Amino acid sequence: MTLEAAVAAPFRGAGTDRMGEGKFVVALSLDRDWFSPDQAKRLVDIATARGLLTEDGGDLVAAFDPAEVHVPADFVPDESILREQSTFERALDAIVAEGTEKREAVAAANRRQREVGVTLETAAVLVARERGVELDAVADAAREELLVGDDFGSEGGDAAGDDAEGP
């Protein structure tokens, strides 16, 4: 995952899983020249929202082992990681990370949505849970979307026009 690699890189460089936010921002913006300082702060917000980082006493703490994340020497994250992914995209990424082909995961979510009449985001969370994929934060986001009635236009439509039926 590109986001995880971008978050892991400063920790790996420092040989720790905890550092001040300023040091983290400097590592991404000045040391690596990947982002502007404002973009690096945005990355902190996104990584925190996704559960990759926690804050403790003014420090950022990796919620995963940065040493276990492969960051290629020529790695440069794409700025697209600075945009928030939808709940559906996050659930889909988790399913794909566990070994399911993306096209099959989308098709399964589309099928589940039609079968039970829920939003696409909720359907993707159901598919993930059925496959044993842990995604509590994504499930919480889907639940919140349902409670506030904000389904981002997904209800009743297939994901990204991908209506493939999987096995």
Side-chain angles (χ1 to χ4, degrees), residues 6-158:
V7 172
F11 292 111
R12 289 174 54 94
T16 185
D17 64 353
R18 179 186 195 101
M19 66 174 44
E21 182 174 348
K23 186 174 180 179
F24 185 85
V25 168
V26 166
L28 292 173
S29 60
L30 299 177
D31 296 347
R32 296 182 185 273
D33 197 28
W34 286 349
F35 304 108
S36 71
D38 286 340
Q39 288 173 320
K41 289 176 184 174
R42 172 88 176 122
L43 182 78
V44 169
D45 292 341
I46 292 169
T48 301
R50 300 236 188 109
L52 295 174
L53 292 174
T54 60
E55 294 185 46
D56 181 36
D59 286 344
L60 296 176
V61 180
F64 60 96
D65 184 355
E68 291 186 10
V69 177
H70 177 65
V71 182
D74 60 347
F75 174 75
V76 176
D78 187 90
E79 287 187 25
S80 67
I81 68 170
L82 297 175
R83 72 171 179 81
E84 281 287 346
Q85 285 183 304
S86 70
T87 302
F88 171 75
E89 290 171 313
R90 291 169 52 200
L92 184 65
D93 284 351
I95 296 167
V96 169
E98 293 294 321
T100 300
E101 291 292 323
K102 185 173 185 175
R103 186 172 179 83
E104 200 285 317
V106 170
N110 285 331
R111 278 193 310 275
R112 178 65 63 213
Q113 179 188 24
R114 286 189 296 270
E115 291 168 3
V116 295
V118 294
T119 65
L120 188 58
E121 290 80 4
T122 302
V125 169
L126 290 173
V127 168
R129 289 237 169 121
E130 290 165 359
R131 294 172 185 218
V133 177
E134 289 297 321
L135 52 137
D136 290 337
V138 176
D140 290 343
R143 186 178 307 107
E144 182 65 25
E145 288 171 10
L146 286 172
L147 293 174
V148 297
D150 186 4
D151 67 7
F152 300 102
S154 297
E155 192 166 357
D158 288 340

